[in-house]
Amino acid sequence: MGPRNKRYVLWQGATLAGTIVLSGVILVAVLKFQQVCRLYIEGITKYRLDDLLLALPLVFLLGASLILLRANRRLHAAEASRHLSEKRFRDIAFSMADWIWETDPEGRYAYSSTAAHNILGYAPREIIGKTPFDFMTPGEAERLRPWFQEKSAAKEPIKDLENWALDKNGKRICLLTNAVPLLGEDGTFLGYRGVDRDITAHKEAEAELHRMAHYDSLTGLPNRMLFEEHLGKALSRGKRDRTVVAVMFMDLDQFKNINDTMGHPSGDLLLKMVADRLINEIRETDVVARFGGDEYAIVQADLPETKGITVLARRILKILSRPFALEGRTIHVSACLGITVQSPDQQRSISELMAQADRALYRAKTKGRNRFLFHDQQMEREVRSQVELLNDLHRALDEKEFRVYYQPQVAIPGGQIIGMEALLRWQHPQRGLLPPKDFIHAAEDNGLIIPMGEWILREACSQLKSWQVQGLAHDLHIAVNLSPVQVSAPEFAPTIRRAIAQSGLSPSCLELELTENLLMESTPEVMEDLQSLQREGIRLSIDDFGTGYSSLQYLKKLPVYKLKIAQEFVLDLPHNLNDAAIVSAVISLGLRLDLAVIAEGVETPEQLDFLLSHGCREVQGYYFSRPMPPREMVPLLRSGRIEPD
């Protein structure tokens, strides 16, 4: 029985006893008062003084009794209201999914709602008398017990406390606890009244979101975001403990071929098997991650010296060289690694280290397969040079530093000019006139080749049209090289058409030079664009024929007008027998397919004689003319032919 109920019973008993006593007194007083009144009414004015004195106190007692009875009725009403309030509280507690409870000053449960059974599997009677720590996991109880004691001693409320309990079946349940202290009238701490909410599903959803944000869904390895977190911690420890940190980036060699031949499910299975092998090779303090595709990364932390880095790199290459059993087939793969190292005295950032490892990986892949390479200062110099080059290219576009030079194409024998090739040059303000080999790859890598290519197309078409208007080049065509990046761009075909329309040049005067690799790797959409341009009258030629794919299937798909023999095959003619055989075969193929054949890079009379004797009728090269600016082309165009230098 609670203190409040005891007080109520005592008050009820005292009230009952007082009522019985007072009832007798009131009865005597009422009779005496009636007697006095009767004597008065009968006109007897003289009565005993003791009767009057006795009557007055009895009247006062009568009034007190009435007050006491009224107070008793109020007490009954208050108690009824309290019972109603408690019933309302019990009804609410019963209907709520949250667990409502009270504890005594020692932290033992004194009350528990039935929701405890739904959350923890315990009936309220199994809860009463136990403490919250009896239901927590051991580690959680150890963590929160002193915290709870401090809160109780300070009589402070508990606000949004997340804690882990075990239900009756041993399952971990996460509870969100809120409670207020119960205080006596004198401020004595009597315990807590609080509510626990089951937020296990919410915490599991949070954990799943965290997993999705920080882990690779295929392999379960950390992703780039989590890898960077681990790397940051490793760098902090390395600085504090004077240890070495290594960052490795790894790619599988020719992984695309496995995807293409065996399908993506098999490729995914291989990626998981690679991840398993990598995990088995690293230490507990190291981290292996997957960034996507066949890209992996490793952090080696807490190294006393760099020797272990090379050991791990060699071990990785070795374990990956062992065959993989993949869906009943034996698969052999290899990998390349790029490595960078941070010593305790270095202060490079996470992004810098990752960029260096990536550059080292790229360099390793260019040198072949199944190898690793450390980042060095030479790579840094090359990177700085590339950054400067890119900045200069952007400026060159804005400042109109590019130039178009023209190299005549001539018919042999006779040296009649039949056309010209437009060649890009860069008038660099410090380095002078630069050929395409010094900047074209950087322009392709960064997409600048698209605006550059559009500019050279407009310039070349406009220049040829200008010469035609001057009566200098009526029957000539102009050849323009196309980059694979240009051809793959969505605006490729419209760009060609705009250049022709803006210049007023006839489409038949424009020749587009394409590489074999570009044609073999082109999408159906690109092939459709090329066929459409050819139907409009634009000529298509194959540049550097014989240096790309050996398949000639594209010659059936695309109506090519001309084959261009690469300079590397012409350079050693006629002395190199292999080159001579290749050039002879290309000329013969062109003649049999009724295609024009032109050889570039002709620089000697011996080369010219060989080409002429094997049926080649078009050439270009320094033997006839070097590339030149437009104003220097004018005298040649006026004469219409060129004599060999």
Side-chain angles (χ1 to χ4, degrees):
M1 183 182 297
R4 179 180 295 176
N5 290 335
K6 291 180 180 178
R7 289 196 300 270
Y8 174 70
V9 170
L10 291 174
W11 173 257
Q12 287 283 73
T15 303
L16 180 61
T19 301
I20 293 172
V21 172
L22 287 174
S23 296
V25 174
I26 291 171
L27 180 60
V28 173
V30 169
L31 293 175
K32 196 68 175 175
F33 185 73
Q34 286 178 343
Q35 183 181 0
V36 171
C37 290
R38 187 173 60 252
L39 291 173
Y40 180 78
I41 292 171
E42 292 176 355
I44 299 175
T45 58
K46 186 176 181 179
Y47 52 88
R48 294 199 307 262
L49 180 61
D50 59 336
D51 290 332
L52 181 60
L53 294 175
L54 177 62
L56 289 176
L58 291 177
V59 171
F60 283 113
L61 286 173
L62 176 61
S65 297
L66 292 175
I67 293 172
L68 183 61
L69 289 173
R70 182 179 296 177
N72 192 36
R73 284 196 299 272
R74 289 178 179 175
L75 176 62
H76 276 288
E79 189 62 24
S81 176
R82 185 179 69 83
H83 278 295
L84 180 62
S85 177
E86 287 182 351
K87 183 179 184 302
R88 187 180 296 116
F89 172 80
R90 286 193 300 271
D91 290 344
I92 293 173
F94 179 80
S95 64
M96 286 182 64
D98 294 342
W99 172 25
I100 300 173
W101 48 263
E102 288 184 7
T103 65
D104 62 18
E106 286 71 38
R108 294 185 296 268
Y109 286 111
Y111 167 79
S112 171
S113 70
T114 56
H117 183 269
N118 298 329
I119 295 176
L120 295 180
Y122 293 99
R125 66 178 181 277
E126 298 176 279
I127 300 287
I128 303 300
K130 295 183 179 180
T131 70
F133 310 110
D134 294 327
F135 301 96
M136 291 182 182
T137 60
E140 196 78 337
E142 183 179 354
R143 178 178 72 91
L144 289 179
R145 194 184 301 273
W147 181 89
F148 222 87
Q149 291 171 349
E150 290 180 6
K151 284 284 183 180
S152 301
K155 305 174 185 177
E156 294 179 350
I158 299 170
K159 182 68 175 175
D160 293 336
L161 171 66
E162 293 185 5
N163 57 100
W164 287 91
L166 295 175
D167 70 5
K168 203 167 187 178
N169 296 320
K171 179 184 175 183
R172 281 165 51 87
I173 303 295
C174 188
L175 300 175
L176 182 66
T177 301
N178 285 277
V180 294
L182 297 176
L183 303 177
E185 294 180 359
D186 58 352
T188 304
F189 177 71
L190 303 177
Y192 275 109
R193 177 181 295 137
V195 58
D196 275 345
R197 174 168 295 176
D198 182 359
I199 59 170
T200 308
H202 175 72
K203 298 301 290 185
E204 289 174 348
E206 275 187 356
E208 178 63 15
L209 289 174
H210 181 273
R211 188 193 65 77
M212 293 172 61
H214 293 85
Y215 290 88
D216 172 48
S217 59
L218 177 65
T219 63
L221 295 176
N223 61 11
R224 181 184 292 269
M225 181 184 298
L226 187 55
F227 177 84
E228 291 182 6
E229 290 183 16
H230 283 298
L231 178 54
K233 294 176 182 177
L235 293 174
S236 298
R237 293 198 308 272
K239 182 179 180 181
R240 181 193 65 207
D241 301 334
R242 305 291 296 171
T243 55
V244 174
V245 177
V247 180
M248 298 182 179
F249 276 20
M250 187 190 88
D251 270 3
L252 299 181
D253 297 327
Q254 303 297 313
F255 175 72
K256 183 177 182 298
N257 292 341
I258 296 174
N259 263 344
D260 291 345
T261 56
M262 299 185 65
H264 287 278
S266 296
D268 289 346
L269 180 58
L270 176 61
L271 293 174
K272 290 192 282 188
M273 296 169 73
V274 168
D276 291 339
R277 291 192 184 184
L278 292 175
I279 291 172
N280 290 333
E281 289 300 317
I282 64 172
R283 304 168 303 161
E284 290 186 1
T285 55
D286 299 337
V287 176
V288 59
R290 176 173 176 257
F291 289 172
D294 60 331
E295 301 176 8
Y296 297 84
I298 298 169
V299 172
Q300 270 189 292
D302 310 315
L303 296 170
E305 56 183 4
T306 59
K307 181 180 179 181
I309 303 170
T310 303
V311 172
L312 177 61
R314 288 176 176 158
R315 204 162 63 233
I316 289 173
L317 295 182
K318 183 177 180 180
I319 63 166
L320 294 181
S321 67
R322 296 200 300 263
F324 290 84
L326 196 62
E327 297 183 348
R329 298 175 60 180
T330 300
I331 303 298
H332 293 272
V333 300
S334 59
C336 285
L337 291 96
I339 308 170
T340 189
V341 180
Q342 175 107 306
S343 67
D345 297 323
Q346 294 174 313
Q347 299 296 324
R348 285 168 294 176
S349 66
I350 292 173
S351 59
E352 287 175 323
L353 289 170
M354 293 177 67
Q356 289 176 356
D358 194 35
R359 287 194 287 270
L361 172 62
Y362 176 79
R363 178 62 61 84
K365 292 176 75 70
T366 62
K367 291 181 177 295
R369 304 177 187 175
N370 197 39
R371 65 184 64 239
F372 64 88
L373 197 65
F374 282 87
H375 179 270
D376 57 24
Q377 291 303 313
Q378 177 60 28
M379 294 183 195
E380 284 298 302
R381 287 190 289 271
E382 291 178 0
V383 169
R384 285 194 293 270
S385 177
Q386 287 296 313
V387 171
E388 292 174 1
L389 178 59
L390 182 60
N391 291 335
D392 287 351
L393 283 171
H394 279 284
R395 188 204 64 245
L397 275 172
D398 295 335
E399 300 295 331
K400 297 180 173 54
E401 295 174 1
F402 292 110
R403 305 285 185 267
V404 179
Y405 276 47
Y406 300 88
Q407 186 173 37
Q409 297 175 334
V410 300
I412 54 173
Q416 180 184 358
I417 298 175
I418 56 174
M420 64 203 74
E421 181 178 4
L423 300 168
L424 185 62
R425 297 292 186 268
W426 180 7
Q427 189 64 54
H428 195 282
Q430 285 81 40
R431 300 168 60 187
L433 193 66
L434 302 179
K437 67 180 182 63
D438 289 350
F439 61 86
I440 206 70
H441 291 303
E444 288 178 329
D445 290 342
N446 292 278
L448 287 175
I449 191 65
I450 294 177
M452 290 167 57
E454 184 174 358
W455 176 82
I456 193 175
L457 270 168
R458 292 199 309 268
E459 192 72 14
C461 291
S462 298
Q463 184 61 71
L464 181 58
K465 181 63 178 179
S466 175
W467 283 329
Q468 289 176 348
V469 170
Q470 297 173 48
L472 300 175
H474 286 298
D475 300 324
L476 304 184
H477 67 269
I478 191 160
V480 179
N481 285 284
L482 294 181
S483 161
V485 180
Q486 288 176 269
V487 177
S488 301
E491 285 294 301
F492 161 62
T495 296
I496 303 296
R497 295 187 179 102
R498 278 198 303 271
I500 291 174
Q502 290 171 1
S503 65
L505 187 69
S506 170
S508 62
C509 295
L510 177 61
E511 180 180 312
L512 302 178
E513 294 190 355
L514 313 165
T515 65
E516 291 179 282
N517 291 351
L518 184 156
L519 293 174
M520 289 300 296
E521 296 175 358
S522 292
T523 63
E525 291 77 14
V526 169
M527 295 299 289
E528 184 178 340
D529 282 342
L530 292 173
Q531 291 169 349
S532 175
L533 293 173
Q534 190 274 337
R535 288 193 295 269
E536 294 171 18
I538 296 172
R539 299 179 179 183
L540 304 178
S541 64
I542 309 301
D543 193 19
D544 295 335
F545 186 79
T547 60
Y549 285 99
S550 59
S551 173
L552 301 178
Q553 194 175 29
Y554 60 84
L555 292 178
K556 295 171 58 178
K557 297 180 181 178
L558 198 64
V560 174
Y561 163 74
K562 183 185 292 184
L563 303 180
K564 194 170 190 178
I565 302 173
Q567 182 177 359
E568 61 187 88
F569 297 135
V570 176
L571 185 62
D572 293 328
L573 290 179
H575 310 293
N576 188 303
L577 298 182
N578 290 332
D579 288 345
I582 292 172
V583 170
S584 176
V586 172
I587 295 172
S588 177
L589 177 66
L591 293 175
R592 289 179 179 275
L593 295 177
D594 196 25
L595 301 175
V597 178
I598 184 171
E600 64 177 338
V602 178
E603 298 180 354
T604 68
E606 291 83 8
Q607 295 168 347
L608 182 64
D609 292 341
F610 179 90
L611 293 167
L612 188 58
S613 66
H614 284 78
C616 182
R617 294 295 179 262
E618 297 179 16
V619 296
Q620 73 180 79
Y622 277 45
Y623 186 61
F624 288 92
S625 174
R626 59 181 175 79
M628 58 185 65
R631 64 179 182 278
E632 296 182 21
M633 277 290 296
V634 173
L636 295 178
L637 294 175
R638 284 202 177 102
S639 68
R641 65 181 58 250
I642 303 176
E643 294 296 331
D645 290 343

